[in-house]
Amino acid sequence: MEMESNFIKTIIEDDLAMGRVKEVVTRFPPEPNAYLHIGHARAIITNFELAKMFGGKTNLRFDDTNPVKEDVSFVNAIKEDIRWLGYEPEKVVFGSDYFEATYELAVGLIKKGLAYVCDLTADEISQYRGTLTEPGKDSPNRNRSVEENLRLFAKMRDGEYKDGEKTLRAKIDMASPNINMRDPVIYRIIHTTHHNTGDRWCIYPMYDFAHPLQDAFEGVTHSLCSLEYVDHRILYDWFITHCDTPHVPHQYEFGRLNITNTIMSKRYLKQLVDLNIATGYDDPRLPTLVGLRRRGYTPEAIRDFVLSTGLSRINSTVSSEMLENSLRNDLIGKVGRYFAVLDPLPVTITNYPSEEPEWLEILNNADNESLGTRQLAFGKRLFIERADFAPEKPDKHWRRLSLGLEVRLIHAYFIKCEKIIMNPDGSIKELLCTYDPNTRSGSGFTDRKPNGNIHYVEATTAQTAQFNLFEPFLVDSDSDRPLLDRVNPDSWKIQKGVVEAELAHTEPGDRYQFIRDGFYATDTSSTPGKLVFNRTVELKSRVK
């Protein structure tokens, strides 16, 4: 699916037509302090697809200006996520690669009288900043001389001050109606080891200062970000105007995309993992890309979903069903259709002539014959879904098995239930059935119509399996109630059942459609002899 027309695409078209831009350059600038989620996927796909549409390029730039929370493990995970989505950056860089150049531009601001070293604490800076209705007031250090500011800033770099003891601030306008312009901090002191630069630096640029300069260093033409940065654009432009940068980039904002029943907050995701409510960032219930991948989502489905939602200048919310439908549409003709019984009820075919099963050759996917064929076992002992049998006399709308009724086993034969064997506790232990050998699927038999079609797994070749069934992690996902009060206790249910023999050697990440149920993926914990499958999404016909 190609990206539809949107306001940013129109801007790029105009920039190219008017000669303001010769080559489109975008960037995706994640901070390596967390795992990416479906919201980040929108930014990734938007940047890469827009650049590709106009023959441009996209850089991956890690915004690593806050070493306290950043780690190389997140760097590696982000690279893998982008690769999994199907994109290859023009180049991979780090914000820290530009620390020396950024420092020199900060020195340049000091020399122009546009930056000063401030002794106020973070709390005092906040108090001095003012409010939306009241102007701020000047720092006592605002009028330090250029020479003193240069000396103090050099001492900051040399590590002569403690964390928070001093900052470098831009000298702009403490009465500006935009609070972001009230002498923002552009450098702070942090004594810690950086994942990329080690201990070479103890001062780090703030995002609002580093980001536009890094865009300029890389020749970014269209710096795309989410809507909360609209009020920061004036500051972005101020730094580009007053620093001697080699290029003039421009920032454009688009609305965030929220998804119903989906946690889109990095803070909430971290809390769930830290409290061991989630099993990790790859928990299949989470909207992290590693979680979605483990659950069985495809990169094609995620790209289709993101592109189908479009871009706008306002935040929007779409139903999680849109994401699920994108996956169904992607997988329906792409994966094989197999038999799995999640709640097995034993069946014995009393008139079957052999203890050995027969093997039926069937298509893996009737809608895509290129997926080939396989052998499906049928024999004297079977398992069917317990829900496919009605022990009491069913109503006229029942289209499955019951005492005295006949159904077709998909790809096999007609069977008729003759007797029910009960357990001492009153539950059903086993069904005794007969089959009609003349009704084999594909034989052209049309003498009578069965009471529906159900699936089965032959018992002697069946592989035991665990099925992980998921619901939304939170109830009232948009509520303001505390997170722990909204955790859904039924978000992960485990069902024990069986699958057909063909799946004995399934590998983690393999995807299937289990007939009459949904799309599944083999979990990362699955091993031969201990098969584990994640239900990625139910079939549309099963969704209530």
Side-chain angles (χ1 to χ4, degrees), residues 75-100:
V75 170
N76 293 333
I78 289 169
K79 289 179 179 178
E80 176 59 29
D81 284 342
I82 293 173
R83 192 176 301 115
W84 177 70
L85 283 174
Y87 300 109
E88 195 64 42
E90 178 71 16
K91 57 183 178 179
V92 177
V93 294
F94 294 86
S96 54
D97 295 340
Y98 306 111
F99 276 178
E100 189 66 46

PDB file of all heavy atoms in Angstrom, residues 75-100:
ATOM      1  N   VAL A  75      19.710   0.557  21.770  1.00  0.00           N
ATOM      2  CA  VAL A  75      20.227   0.885  20.435  1.00  0.00           C
ATOM      3  C   VAL A  75      20.074  -0.314  19.511  1.00  0.00           C
ATOM      4  O   VAL A  75      19.557  -0.214  18.391  1.00  0.00           O
ATOM      5  CB  VAL A  75      21.704   1.321  20.521  1.00  0.00           C
ATOM      6  CG1 VAL A  75      22.311   1.428  19.121  1.00  0.00           C
ATOM      7  CG2 VAL A  75      21.831   2.651  21.259  1.00  0.00           C
ATOM      8  N   ASN A  76      20.522  -1.474  19.971  1.00  0.00           N
ATOM      9  CA  ASN A  76      20.468  -2.685  19.146  1.00  0.00           C
ATOM     10  C   ASN A  76      19.025  -3.102  18.855  1.00  0.00           C
ATOM     11  O   ASN A  76      18.712  -3.536  17.736  1.00  0.00           O
ATOM     12  CB  ASN A  76      21.214  -3.823  19.841  1.00  0.00           C
ATOM     13  CG  ASN A  76      22.708  -3.559  19.939  1.00  0.00           C
ATOM     14  OD1 ASN A  76      23.277  -2.841  19.108  1.00  0.00           O
ATOM     15  ND2 ASN A  76      23.356  -4.104  20.952  1.00  0.00           N
ATOM     16  N   ALA A  77      18.158  -2.970  19.851  1.00  0.00           N
ATOM     17  CA  ALA A  77      16.747  -3.344  19.653  1.00  0.00           C
ATOM     18  C   ALA A  77      16.083  -2.436  18.623  1.00  0.00           C
ATOM     19  O   ALA A  77      15.296  -2.900  17.782  1.00  0.00           O
ATOM     20  CB  ALA A  77      16.001  -3.282  20.982  1.00  0.00           C
ATOM     21  N   ILE A  78      16.381  -1.145  18.671  1.00  0.00           N
ATOM     22  CA  ILE A  78      15.790  -0.201  17.718  1.00  0.00           C
ATOM     23  C   ILE A  78      16.271  -0.496  16.298  1.00  0.00           C
ATOM     24  O   ILE A  78      15.485  -0.475  15.344  1.00  0.00           O
ATOM     25  CB  ILE A  78      16.122   1.242  18.138  1.00  0.00           C
ATOM     26  CG1 ILE A  78      15.335   1.602  19.409  1.00  0.00           C
ATOM     27  CG2 ILE A  78      15.802   2.231  17.017  1.00  0.00           C
ATOM     28  CD1 ILE A  78      15.780   2.897  20.063  1.00  0.00           C
ATOM     29  N   LYS A  79      17.552  -0.775  16.139  1.00  0.00           N
ATOM     30  CA  LYS A  79      18.071  -1.132  14.814  1.00  0.00           C
ATOM     31  C   LYS A  79      17.340  -2.359  14.264  1.00  0.00           C
ATOM     32  O   LYS A  79      16.961  -2.400  13.085  1.00  0.00           O
ATOM     33  CB  LYS A  79      19.570  -1.418  14.897  1.00  0.00           C
ATOM     34  CG  LYS A  79      20.448  -0.207  15.127  1.00  0.00           C
ATOM     35  CD  LYS A  79      21.916  -0.636  15.210  1.00  0.00           C
ATOM     36  CE  LYS A  79      22.845   0.532  15.426  1.00  0.00           C
ATOM     37  NZ  LYS A  79      24.262   0.101  15.553  1.00  0.00           N
ATOM     38  N   GLU A  80      17.148  -3.366  15.117  1.00  0.00           N
ATOM     39  CA  GLU A  80      16.487  -4.594  14.693  1.00  0.00           C
ATOM     40  C   GLU A  80      15.030  -4.333  14.333  1.00  0.00           C
ATOM     41  O   GLU A  80      14.512  -4.873  13.347  1.00  0.00           O
ATOM     42  CB  GLU A  80      16.585  -5.645  15.799  1.00  0.00           C
ATOM     43  CG  GLU A  80      15.846  -6.943  15.504  1.00  0.00           C
ATOM     44  CD  GLU A  80      16.334  -7.639  14.243  1.00  0.00           C
ATOM     45  OE1 GLU A  80      17.516  -7.477  13.885  1.00  0.00           O
ATOM     46  OE2 GLU A  80      15.529  -8.348  13.600  1.00  0.00           O
ATOM     47  N   ASP A  81      14.344  -3.495  15.102  1.00  0.00           N
ATOM     48  CA  ASP A  81      12.940  -3.184  14.811  1.00  0.00           C
ATOM     49  C   ASP A  81      12.792  -2.508  13.454  1.00  0.00           C
ATOM     50  O   ASP A  81      11.876  -2.825  12.674  1.00  0.00           O
ATOM     51  CB  ASP A  81      12.359  -2.274  15.905  1.00  0.00           C
ATOM     52  CG  ASP A  81      12.038  -3.023  17.186  1.00  0.00           C
ATOM     53  OD1 ASP A  81      11.939  -4.261  17.138  1.00  0.00           O
ATOM     54  OD2 ASP A  81      11.881  -2.363  18.235  1.00  0.00           O
ATOM     55  N   ILE A  82      13.667  -1.565  13.164  1.00  0.00           N
ATOM     56  CA  ILE A  82      13.591  -0.854  11.888  1.00  0.00           C
ATOM     57  C   ILE A  82      13.882  -1.807  10.732  1.00  0.00           C
ATOM     58  O   ILE A  82      13.211  -1.773   9.694  1.00  0.00           O
ATOM     59  CB  ILE A  82      14.563   0.342  11.898  1.00  0.00           C
ATOM     60  CG1 ILE A  82      14.088   1.389  12.909  1.00  0.00           C
ATOM     61  CG2 ILE A  82      14.688   0.956  10.505  1.00  0.00           C
ATOM     62  CD1 ILE A  82      15.049   2.523  13.115  1.00  0.00           C
ATOM     63  N   ARG A  83      14.858  -2.663  10.924  1.00  0.00           N
ATOM     64  CA  ARG A  83      15.183  -3.660   9.898  1.00  0.00           C
ATOM     65  C   ARG A  83      13.999  -4.604   9.691  1.00  0.00           C
ATOM     66  O   ARG A  83      13.660  -4.961   8.560  1.00  0.00           O
ATOM     67  CB  ARG A  83      16.432  -4.430  10.322  1.00  0.00           C
ATOM     68  CG  ARG A  83      17.052  -5.301   9.225  1.00  0.00           C
ATOM     69  CD  ARG A  83      18.328  -5.953   9.714  1.00  0.00           C
ATOM     70  NE  ARG A  83      19.323  -4.966  10.120  1.00  0.00           N
ATOM     71  CZ  ARG A  83      19.759  -4.819  11.374  1.00  0.00           C
ATOM     72  NH1 ARG A  83      19.289  -5.592  12.329  1.00  0.00           N
ATOM     73  NH2 ARG A  83      20.650  -3.897  11.654  1.00  0.00           N
ATOM     74  N   TRP A  84      13.371  -5.015  10.791  1.00  0.00           N
ATOM     75  CA  TRP A  84      12.212  -5.916  10.704  1.00  0.00           C
ATOM     76  C   TRP A  84      11.053  -5.269   9.940  1.00  0.00           C
ATOM     77  O   TRP A  84      10.369  -5.935   9.160  1.00  0.00           O
ATOM     78  CB  TRP A  84      11.757  -6.317  12.109  1.00  0.00           C
ATOM     79  CG  TRP A  84      10.540  -7.189  12.134  1.00  0.00           C
ATOM     80  CD1 TRP A  84      10.451  -8.498  11.721  1.00  0.00           C
ATOM     81  CD2 TRP A  84       9.231  -6.823  12.570  1.00  0.00           C
ATOM     82  NE1 TRP A  84       9.163  -8.966  11.891  1.00  0.00           N
ATOM     83  CE2 TRP A  84       8.394  -7.958  12.405  1.00  0.00           C
ATOM     84  CE3 TRP A  84       8.687  -5.649  13.094  1.00  0.00           C
ATOM     85  CZ2 TRP A  84       7.039  -7.941  12.746  1.00  0.00           C
ATOM     86  CZ3 TRP A  84       7.343  -5.636  13.441  1.00  0.00           C
ATOM     87  CH2 TRP A  84       6.537  -6.773  13.255  1.00  0.00           C
ATOM     88  N   LEU A  85      10.864  -3.966  10.130  1.00  0.00           N
ATOM     89  CA  LEU A  85       9.796  -3.264   9.416  1.00  0.00           C
ATOM     90  C   LEU A  85      10.090  -3.139   7.924  1.00  0.00           C
ATOM     91  O   LEU A  85       9.214  -2.767   7.153  1.00  0.00           O
ATOM     92  CB  LEU A  85       9.574  -1.873  10.016  1.00  0.00           C
ATOM     93  CG  LEU A  85       8.798  -1.811  11.334  1.00  0.00           C
ATOM     94  CD1 LEU A  85       8.783  -0.394  11.882  1.00  0.00           C
ATOM     95  CD2 LEU A  85       7.368  -2.332  11.169  1.00  0.00           C
ATOM     96  N   GLY A  86      11.311  -3.441   7.524  1.00  0.00           N
ATOM     97  CA  GLY A  86      11.633  -3.454   6.105  1.00  0.00           C
ATOM     98  C   GLY A  86      12.403  -2.242   5.614  1.00  0.00           C
ATOM     99  O   GLY A  86      12.454  -1.990   4.406  1.00  0.00           O
ATOM    100  N   TYR A  87      13.037  -1.505   6.531  1.00  0.00           N
ATOM    101  CA  TYR A  87      13.727  -0.278   6.134  1.00  0.00           C
ATOM    102  C   TYR A  87      15.217  -0.351   6.461  1.00  0.00           C
ATOM    103  O   TYR A  87      15.620  -0.940   7.461  1.00  0.00           O
ATOM    104  CB  TYR A  87      13.109   0.934   6.835  1.00  0.00           C
ATOM    105  CG  TYR A  87      11.641   1.121   6.503  1.00  0.00           C
ATOM    106  CD1 TYR A  87      10.656   0.870   7.448  1.00  0.00           C
ATOM    107  CD2 TYR A  87      11.257   1.526   5.227  1.00  0.00           C
ATOM    108  CE1 TYR A  87       9.316   1.035   7.136  1.00  0.00           C
ATOM    109  CE2 TYR A  87       9.922   1.694   4.905  1.00  0.00           C
ATOM    110  CZ  TYR A  87       8.951   1.448   5.865  1.00  0.00           C
ATOM    111  OH  TYR A  87       7.631   1.599   5.555  1.00  0.00           O
ATOM    112  N   GLU A  88      15.999   0.285   5.602  1.00  0.00           N
ATOM    113  CA  GLU A  88      17.438   0.372   5.791  1.00  0.00           C
ATOM    114  C   GLU A  88      17.827   1.843   5.735  1.00  0.00           C
ATOM    115  O   GLU A  88      17.698   2.501   4.705  1.00  0.00           O
ATOM    116  CB  GLU A  88      18.176  -0.407   4.703  1.00  0.00           C
ATOM    117  CG  GLU A  88      19.632  -0.672   5.017  1.00  0.00           C
ATOM    118  CD  GLU A  88      19.822  -1.552   6.240  1.00  0.00           C
ATOM    119  OE1 GLU A  88      19.073  -2.542   6.403  1.00  0.00           O
ATOM    120  OE2 GLU A  88      20.725  -1.223   7.038  1.00  0.00           O
ATOM    121  N   PRO A  89      18.286   2.425   6.848  1.00  0.00           N
ATOM    122  CA  PRO A  89      18.634   3.854   6.849  1.00  0.00           C
ATOM    123  C   PRO A  89      19.787   4.159   5.900  1.00  0.00           C
ATOM    124  O   PRO A  89      20.652   3.306   5.636  1.00  0.00           O
ATOM    125  CB  PRO A  89      19.049   4.115   8.307  1.00  0.00           C
ATOM    126  CG  PRO A  89      18.527   2.957   9.091  1.00  0.00           C
ATOM    127  CD  PRO A  89      18.497   1.792   8.157  1.00  0.00           C
ATOM    128  N   GLU A  90      19.809   5.372   5.389  1.00  0.00           N
ATOM    129  CA  GLU A  90      20.939   5.826   4.577  1.00  0.00           C
ATOM    130  C   GLU A  90      22.220   5.760   5.407  1.00  0.00           C
ATOM    131  O   GLU A  90      23.258   5.326   4.944  1.00  0.00           O
ATOM    132  CB  GLU A  90      20.686   7.255   4.095  1.00  0.00           C
ATOM    133  CG  GLU A  90      21.816   7.858   3.289  1.00  0.00           C
ATOM    134  CD  GLU A  90      21.954   7.233   1.912  1.00  0.00           C
ATOM    135  OE1 GLU A  90      21.002   6.553   1.457  1.00  0.00           O
ATOM    136  OE2 GLU A  90      23.025   7.435   1.293  1.00  0.00           O
ATOM    137  N   LYS A  91      22.120   6.206   6.663  1.00  0.00           N
ATOM    138  CA  LYS A  91      23.234   6.074   7.586  1.00  0.00           C
ATOM    139  C   LYS A  91      22.697   6.037   9.017  1.00  0.00           C
ATOM    140  O   LYS A  91      21.587   6.528   9.291  1.00  0.00           O
ATOM    141  CB  LYS A  91      24.249   7.204   7.417  1.00  0.00           C
ATOM    142  CG  LYS A  91      23.704   8.618   7.584  1.00  0.00           C
ATOM    143  CD  LYS A  91      24.819   9.628   7.304  1.00  0.00           C
ATOM    144  CE  LYS A  91      24.295  11.069   7.410  1.00  0.00           C
ATOM    145  NZ  LYS A  91      25.367  12.059   7.164  1.00  0.00           N
ATOM    146  N   VAL A  92      23.452   5.435   9.888  1.00  0.00           N
ATOM    147  CA  VAL A  92      23.103   5.345  11.307  1.00  0.00           C
ATOM    148  C   VAL A  92      24.101   6.214  12.068  1.00  0.00           C
ATOM    149  O   VAL A  92      25.321   6.002  11.997  1.00  0.00           O
ATOM    150  CB  VAL A  92      23.166   3.892  11.818  1.00  0.00           C
ATOM    151  CG1 VAL A  92      22.864   3.843  13.312  1.00  0.00           C
ATOM    152  CG2 VAL A  92      22.188   3.021  11.036  1.00  0.00           C
ATOM    153  N   VAL A  93      23.586   7.207  12.772  1.00  0.00           N
ATOM    154  CA  VAL A  93      24.451   8.135  13.503  1.00  0.00           C
ATOM    155  C   VAL A  93      23.896   8.317  14.915  1.00  0.00           C
ATOM    156  O   VAL A  93      22.775   7.908  15.232  1.00  0.00           O
ATOM    157  CB  VAL A  93      24.546   9.504  12.793  1.00  0.00           C
ATOM    158  CG1 VAL A  93      25.253   9.379  11.463  1.00  0.00           C
ATOM    159  CG2 VAL A  93      23.148  10.098  12.598  1.00  0.00           C
ATOM    160  N   PHE A  94      24.705   8.948  15.743  1.00  0.00           N
ATOM    161  CA  PHE A  94      24.322   9.263  17.118  1.00  0.00           C
ATOM    162  C   PHE A  94      24.401  10.765  17.317  1.00  0.00           C
ATOM    163  O   PHE A  94      25.287  11.428  16.760  1.00  0.00           O
ATOM    164  CB  PHE A  94      25.250   8.568  18.114  1.00  0.00           C
ATOM    165  CG  PHE A  94      25.136   7.067  18.109  1.00  0.00           C
ATOM    166  CD1 PHE A  94      25.874   6.314  17.215  1.00  0.00           C
ATOM    167  CD2 PHE A  94      24.275   6.420  18.983  1.00  0.00           C
ATOM    168  CE1 PHE A  94      25.780   4.934  17.197  1.00  0.00           C
ATOM    169  CE2 PHE A  94      24.173   5.044  18.977  1.00  0.00           C
ATOM    170  CZ  PHE A  94      24.916   4.296  18.079  1.00  0.00           C
ATOM    171  N   GLY A  95      23.482  11.284  18.114  1.00  0.00           N
ATOM    172  CA  GLY A  95      23.580  12.692  18.468  1.00  0.00           C
ATOM    173  C   GLY A  95      24.926  12.998  19.091  1.00  0.00           C
ATOM    174  O   GLY A  95      25.491  14.081  18.903  1.00  0.00           O
ATOM    175  N   SER A  96      25.454  12.020  19.831  1.00  0.00           N
ATOM    176  CA  SER A  96      26.753  12.218  20.483  1.00  0.00           C
ATOM    177  C   SER A  96      27.905  12.342  19.487  1.00  0.00           C
ATOM    178  O   SER A  96      28.981  12.833  19.840  1.00  0.00           O
ATOM    179  CB  SER A  96      27.025  11.065  21.460  1.00  0.00           C
ATOM    180  OG  SER A  96      26.914   9.809  20.827  1.00  0.00           O
ATOM    181  N   ASP A  97      27.688  11.904  18.234  1.00  0.00           N
ATOM    182  CA  ASP A  97      28.715  12.096  17.204  1.00  0.00           C
ATOM    183  C   ASP A  97      28.966  13.583  16.952  1.00  0.00           C
ATOM    184  O   ASP A  97      30.035  13.959  16.442  1.00  0.00           O
ATOM    185  CB  ASP A  97      28.289  11.438  15.888  1.00  0.00           C
ATOM    186  CG  ASP A  97      28.183   9.922  15.988  1.00  0.00           C
ATOM    187  OD1 ASP A  97      28.781   9.341  16.908  1.00  0.00           O
ATOM    188  OD2 ASP A  97      27.491   9.320  15.138  1.00  0.00           O
ATOM    189  N   TYR A  98      27.983  14.411  17.302  1.00  0.00           N
ATOM    190  CA  TYR A  98      28.052  15.845  17.008  1.00  0.00           C
ATOM    191  C   TYR A  98      28.335  16.672  18.262  1.00  0.00           C
ATOM    192  O   TYR A  98      28.174  17.901  18.245  1.00  0.00           O
ATOM    193  CB  TYR A  98      26.739  16.317  16.391  1.00  0.00           C
ATOM    194  CG  TYR A  98      26.299  15.535  15.176  1.00  0.00           C
ATOM    195  CD1 TYR A  98      25.178  14.698  15.228  1.00  0.00           C
ATOM    196  CD2 TYR A  98      26.988  15.627  13.973  1.00  0.00           C
ATOM    197  CE1 TYR A  98      24.770  13.984  14.113  1.00  0.00           C
ATOM    198  CE2 TYR A  98      26.589  14.909  12.862  1.00  0.00           C
ATOM    199  CZ  TYR A  98      25.469  14.090  12.939  1.00  0.00           C
ATOM    200  OH  TYR A  98      25.070  13.378  11.826  1.00  0.00           O
ATOM    201  N   PHE A  99      28.748  16.035  19.357  1.00  0.00           N
ATOM    202  CA  PHE A  99      28.918  16.783  20.600  1.00  0.00           C
ATOM    203  C   PHE A  99      29.943  17.911  20.464  1.00  0.00           C
ATOM    204  O   PHE A  99      29.738  19.013  20.982  1.00  0.00           O
ATOM    205  CB  PHE A  99      29.336  15.843  21.732  1.00  0.00           C
ATOM    206  CG  PHE A  99      28.181  15.135  22.395  1.00  0.00           C
ATOM    207  CD1 PHE A  99      28.401  14.211  23.414  1.00  0.00           C
ATOM    208  CD2 PHE A  99      26.869  15.383  22.015  1.00  0.00           C
ATOM    209  CE1 PHE A  99      27.346  13.556  24.032  1.00  0.00           C
ATOM    210  CE2 PHE A  99      25.803  14.731  22.627  1.00  0.00           C
ATOM    211  CZ  PHE A  99      26.050  13.816  23.641  1.00  0.00           C
ATOM    212  N   GLU A 100      31.045  17.646  19.780  1.00  0.00           N
ATOM    213  CA  GLU A 100      32.070  18.690  19.651  1.00  0.00           C
ATOM    214  C   GLU A 100      31.543  19.850  18.807  1.00  0.00           C
ATOM    215  O   GLU A 100      31.711  21.030  19.178  1.00  0.00           O
ATOM    216  CB  GLU A 100      33.341  18.113  19.024  1.00  0.00           C
ATOM    217  CG  GLU A 100      34.534  19.057  19.038  1.00  0.00           C
ATOM    218  CD  GLU A 100      35.023  19.355  20.451  1.00  0.00           C
ATOM    219  OE1 GLU A 100      35.169  18.416  21.252  1.00  0.00           O
ATOM    220  OE2 GLU A 100      35.247  20.556  20.742  1.00  0.00           O
TER     221      GLU A 100
END
